[in-house]
PDB file of all heavy atoms in Angstrom:
ATOM      1  N   LYS C 150      62.161  85.464 106.952  1.00 95.00           N
ATOM      2  CA  LYS C 150      61.568  84.588 107.963  1.00 95.00           C
ATOM      3  C   LYS C 150      61.614  83.139 107.492  1.00 95.00           C
ATOM      4  O   LYS C 150      61.969  82.240 108.238  1.00 95.00           O
ATOM      5  CB  LYS C 150      60.100  84.977 108.204  1.00 95.00           C
ATOM      6  CG  LYS C 150      59.910  86.088 109.206  1.00 95.00           C
ATOM      7  CD  LYS C 150      58.425  86.198 109.513  1.00 95.00           C
ATOM      8  CE  LYS C 150      58.116  87.496 110.226  1.00 95.00           C
ATOM      9  NZ  LYS C 150      56.702  87.832 110.161  1.00 95.00           N
ATOM     10  N   LYS C 151      61.273  82.958 106.211  1.00 96.00           N
ATOM     11  CA  LYS C 151      61.252  81.591 105.667  1.00 96.00           C
ATOM     12  C   LYS C 151      62.651  80.997 105.674  1.00 96.00           C
ATOM     13  O   LYS C 151      62.845  79.841 106.021  1.00 96.00           O
ATOM     14  CB  LYS C 151      60.697  81.614 104.240  1.00 96.00           C
ATOM     15  CG  LYS C 151      59.194  81.667 104.214  1.00 96.00           C
ATOM     16  CD  LYS C 151      58.664  81.218 102.857  1.00 96.00           C
ATOM     17  CE  LYS C 151      57.191  81.586 102.736  1.00 96.00           C
ATOM     18  NZ  LYS C 151      56.958  82.677 101.792  1.00 96.00           N
ATOM     19  N   LEU C 152      63.633  81.818 105.284  1.00 95.00           N
ATOM     20  CA  LEU C 152      65.015  81.329 105.263  1.00 95.00           C
ATOM     21  C   LEU C 152      65.474  80.942 106.669  1.00 95.00           C
ATOM     22  O   LEU C 152      66.105  79.898 106.853  1.00 95.00           O
ATOM     23  CB  LEU C 152      65.938  82.421 104.712  1.00 95.00           C
ATOM     24  CG  LEU C 152      66.152  82.432 103.199  1.00 95.00           C
ATOM     25  CD1 LEU C 152      66.901  83.676 102.780  1.00 95.00           C
ATOM     26  CD2 LEU C 152      66.914  81.181 102.769  1.00 95.00           C
ATOM     27  N   ILE C 153      65.129  81.783 107.637  1.00 96.00           N
ATOM     28  CA  ILE C 153      65.532  81.484 109.015  1.00 96.00           C
ATOM     29  C   ILE C 153      64.889  80.180 109.467  1.00 96.00           C
ATOM     30  O   ILE C 153      65.534  79.321 110.066  1.00 96.00           O
ATOM     31  CB  ILE C 153      65.158  82.649 109.957  1.00 96.00           C
ATOM     32  CG1 ILE C 153      66.032  83.867 109.636  1.00 96.00           C
ATOM     33  CG2 ILE C 153      65.322  82.247 111.420  1.00 96.00           C
ATOM     34  CD1 ILE C 153      65.695  85.126 110.410  1.00 96.00           C
ATOM     35  N   GLU C 154      63.608  80.017 109.122  1.00 95.00           N
ATOM     36  CA  GLU C 154      62.921  78.761 109.474  1.00 95.00           C
ATOM     37  C   GLU C 154      63.603  77.569 108.834  1.00 95.00           C
ATOM     38  O   GLU C 154      63.808  76.535 109.448  1.00 95.00           O
ATOM     39  CB  GLU C 154      61.467  78.810 109.002  1.00 95.00           C
ATOM     40  CG  GLU C 154      60.501  79.243 110.080  1.00 95.00           C
ATOM     41  CD  GLU C 154      59.130  79.537 109.493  1.00 95.00           C
ATOM     42  OE1 GLU C 154      58.671  78.769 108.620  1.00 95.00           O
ATOM     43  OE2 GLU C 154      58.539  80.567 109.894  1.00 95.00           O
ATOM     44  N   LYS C 155      63.966  77.760 107.557  1.00 96.00           N
ATOM     45  CA  LYS C 155      64.594  76.667 106.816  1.00 96.00           C
ATOM     46  C   LYS C 155      65.905  76.262 107.492  1.00 96.00           C
ATOM     47  O   LYS C 155      66.192  75.081 107.675  1.00 96.00           O
ATOM     48  CB  LYS C 155      64.860  77.124 105.369  1.00 96.00           C
ATOM     49  CG  LYS C 155      65.073  75.988 104.400  1.00 96.00           C
ATOM     50  CD  LYS C 155      65.304  76.518 102.990  1.00 96.00           C
ATOM     51  CE  LYS C 155      66.676  76.132 102.514  1.00 96.00           C
ATOM     52  NZ  LYS C 155      67.158  76.918 101.397  1.00 96.00           N
ATOM     53  N   ILE C 156      66.693  77.267 107.867  1.00 95.00           N
ATOM     54  CA  ILE C 156      67.985  76.976 108.488  1.00 95.00           C
ATOM     55  C   ILE C 156      67.764  76.353 109.865  1.00 95.00           C
ATOM     56  O   ILE C 156      68.447  75.399 110.243  1.00 95.00           O
ATOM     57  CB  ILE C 156      68.843  78.257 108.590  1.00 95.00           C
ATOM     58  CG1 ILE C 156      69.118  78.800 107.189  1.00 95.00           C
ATOM     59  CG2 ILE C 156      70.139  77.986 109.320  1.00 95.00           C
ATOM     60  CD1 ILE C 156      69.625  80.223 107.159  1.00 95.00           C
ATOM     61  N   SER C 157      66.778  76.878 110.594  1.00 95.00           N
ATOM     62  CA  SER C 157      66.522  76.355 111.932  1.00 95.00           C
ATOM     63  C   SER C 157      66.091  74.896 111.900  1.00 95.00           C
ATOM     64  O   SER C 157      66.320  74.153 112.855  1.00 95.00           O
ATOM     65  CB  SER C 157      65.446  77.183 112.635  1.00 95.00           C
ATOM     66  OG  SER C 157      65.807  78.536 112.645  1.00 95.00           O
ATOM     67  N   ALA C 158      65.471  74.493 110.794  1.00 95.00           N
ATOM     68  CA  ALA C 158      64.980  73.120 110.704  1.00 95.00           C
ATOM     69  C   ALA C 158      66.096  72.117 110.425  1.00 95.00           C
ATOM     70  O   ALA C 158      65.898  70.913 110.528  1.00 95.00           O
ATOM     71  CB  ALA C 158      63.914  73.030 109.623  1.00 95.00           C
ATOM     72  N   MET C 159      67.290  72.627 110.071  1.00 95.00           N
ATOM     73  CA  MET C 159      68.383  71.704 109.753  1.00 95.00           C
ATOM     74  C   MET C 159      68.960  71.099 111.039  1.00 95.00           C
ATOM     75  O   MET C 159      68.711  71.582 112.132  1.00 95.00           O
ATOM     76  CB  MET C 159      69.522  72.469 109.062  1.00 95.00           C
ATOM     77  CG  MET C 159      69.167  73.072 107.731  1.00 95.00           C
ATOM     78  SD  MET C 159      70.594  74.059 107.180  1.00 95.00           S
ATOM     79  CE  MET C 159      69.945  74.748 105.679  1.00 95.00           C
ATOM     80  N   SER C 160      69.783  70.055 110.865  1.00 94.00           N
ATOM     81  CA  SER C 160      70.508  69.522 112.016  1.00 94.00           C
ATOM     82  C   SER C 160      71.712  70.428 112.271  1.00 94.00           C
ATOM     83  O   SER C 160      72.085  71.219 111.410  1.00 94.00           O
ATOM     84  CB  SER C 160      70.984  68.100 111.726  1.00 94.00           C
ATOM     85  OG  SER C 160      72.031  68.133 110.789  1.00 94.00           O
ATOM     86  N   VAL C 161      72.290  70.281 113.455  1.00 94.00           N
ATOM     87  CA  VAL C 161      73.438  71.136 113.798  1.00 94.00           C
ATOM     88  C   VAL C 161      74.530  71.020 112.732  1.00 94.00           C
ATOM     89  O   VAL C 161      75.099  72.016 112.281  1.00 94.00           O
ATOM     90  CB  VAL C 161      74.014  70.746 115.177  1.00 94.00           C
ATOM     91  CG1 VAL C 161      75.248  71.567 115.480  1.00 94.00           C
ATOM     92  CG2 VAL C 161      72.981  70.958 116.249  1.00 94.00           C
ATOM     93  N   GLU C 162      74.804  69.795 112.318  1.00 94.00           N
ATOM     94  CA  GLU C 162      75.872  69.576 111.341  1.00 94.00           C
ATOM     95  C   GLU C 162      75.535  70.244 110.017  1.00 94.00           C
ATOM     96  O   GLU C 162      76.401  70.857 109.387  1.00 94.00           O
ATOM     97  CB  GLU C 162      76.109  68.077 111.116  1.00 94.00           C
ATOM     98  CG  GLU C 162      76.847  67.386 112.240  1.00 94.00           C
ATOM     99  CD  GLU C 162      75.942  67.085 113.428  1.00 94.00           C
ATOM    100  OE1 GLU C 162      74.692  67.125 113.247  1.00 94.00           O
ATOM    101  OE2 GLU C 162      76.472  66.825 114.522  1.00 94.00           O
ATOM    102  N   GLU C 163      74.279  70.115 109.609  1.00 95.00           N
ATOM    103  CA  GLU C 163      73.873  70.735 108.344  1.00 95.00           C
ATOM    104  C   GLU C 163      73.998  72.258 108.420  1.00 95.00           C
ATOM    105  O   GLU C 163      74.406  72.912 107.470  1.00 95.00           O
ATOM    106  CB  GLU C 163      72.423  70.382 108.002  1.00 95.00           C
ATOM    107  CG  GLU C 163      72.260  68.968 107.498  1.00 95.00           C
ATOM    108  CD  GLU C 163      70.780  68.569 107.434  1.00 95.00           C
ATOM    109  OE1 GLU C 163      69.932  69.230 108.067  1.00 95.00           O
ATOM    110  OE2 GLU C 163      70.508  67.578 106.758  1.00 95.00           O
ATOM    111  N   ARG C 164      73.636  72.784 109.584  1.00 96.00           N
ATOM    112  CA  ARG C 164      73.728  74.243 109.744  1.00 96.00           C
ATOM    113  C   ARG C 164      75.180  74.708 109.656  1.00 96.00           C
ATOM    114  O   ARG C 164      75.487  75.713 109.032  1.00 96.00           O
ATOM    115  CB  ARG C 164      73.130  74.661 111.090  1.00 96.00           C
ATOM    116  CG  ARG C 164      71.639  74.875 111.039  1.00 96.00           C
ATOM    117  CD  ARG C 164      71.188  75.699 112.213  1.00 96.00           C
ATOM    118  NE  ARG C 164      71.324  74.960 113.464  1.00 96.00           N
ATOM    119  CZ  ARG C 164      70.364  74.211 113.984  1.00 96.00           C
ATOM    120  NH1 ARG C 164      69.199  74.097 113.382  1.00 96.00           N
ATOM    121  NH2 ARG C 164      70.561  73.570 115.110  1.00 96.00           N
ATOM    122  N   TRP C 165      76.067  73.947 110.301  1.00 95.00           N
ATOM    123  CA  TRP C 165      77.492  74.285 110.232  1.00 95.00           C
ATOM    124  C   TRP C 165      77.942  74.282 108.766  1.00 95.00           C
ATOM    125  O   TRP C 165      78.587  75.222 108.301  1.00 95.00           O
ATOM    126  CB  TRP C 165      78.299  73.273 111.057  1.00 95.00           C
ATOM    127  CG  TRP C 165      79.776  73.416 110.903  1.00 95.00           C
ATOM    128  CD1 TRP C 165      80.576  72.716 110.048  1.00 95.00           C
ATOM    129  CD2 TRP C 165      80.639  74.329 111.599  1.00 95.00           C
ATOM    130  NE1 TRP C 165      81.877  73.123 110.171  1.00 95.00           N
ATOM    131  CE2 TRP C 165      81.950  74.125 111.114  1.00 95.00           C
ATOM    132  CE3 TRP C 165      80.433  75.300 112.582  1.00 95.00           C
ATOM    133  CZ2 TRP C 165      83.045  74.840 111.584  1.00 95.00           C
ATOM    134  CZ3 TRP C 165      81.536  76.016 113.042  1.00 95.00           C
ATOM    135  CH2 TRP C 165      82.817  75.780 112.542  1.00 95.00           C
ATOM    136  N   ASP C 166      77.580  73.234 108.054  1.00 95.00           N
ATOM    137  CA  ASP C 166      77.993  73.143 106.651  1.00 95.00           C
ATOM    138  C   ASP C 166      77.389  74.281 105.836  1.00 95.00           C
ATOM    139  O   ASP C 166      78.045  74.856 104.976  1.00 95.00           O
ATOM    140  CB  ASP C 166      77.585  71.789 106.054  1.00 95.00           C
ATOM    141  CG  ASP C 166      78.344  70.649 106.702  1.00 95.00           C
ATOM    142  OD1 ASP C 166      79.377  70.941 107.346  1.00 95.00           O
ATOM    143  OD2 ASP C 166      77.914  69.495 106.581  1.00 95.00           O
TER     144      ASP C 166
END
Side-chain angles (χ1 to χ4, degrees):
Chain C
K150 275 189 194 162
K151 279 199 193 109
L152 270 171
I153 291 175
E154 264 169 42
K155 199 179 117 199
I156 298 165
S157 305
M159 296 174 183
S160 72
V161 176
E162 285 78 17
E163 285 169 342
R164 274 199 291 269
W165 172 265
D166 294 343

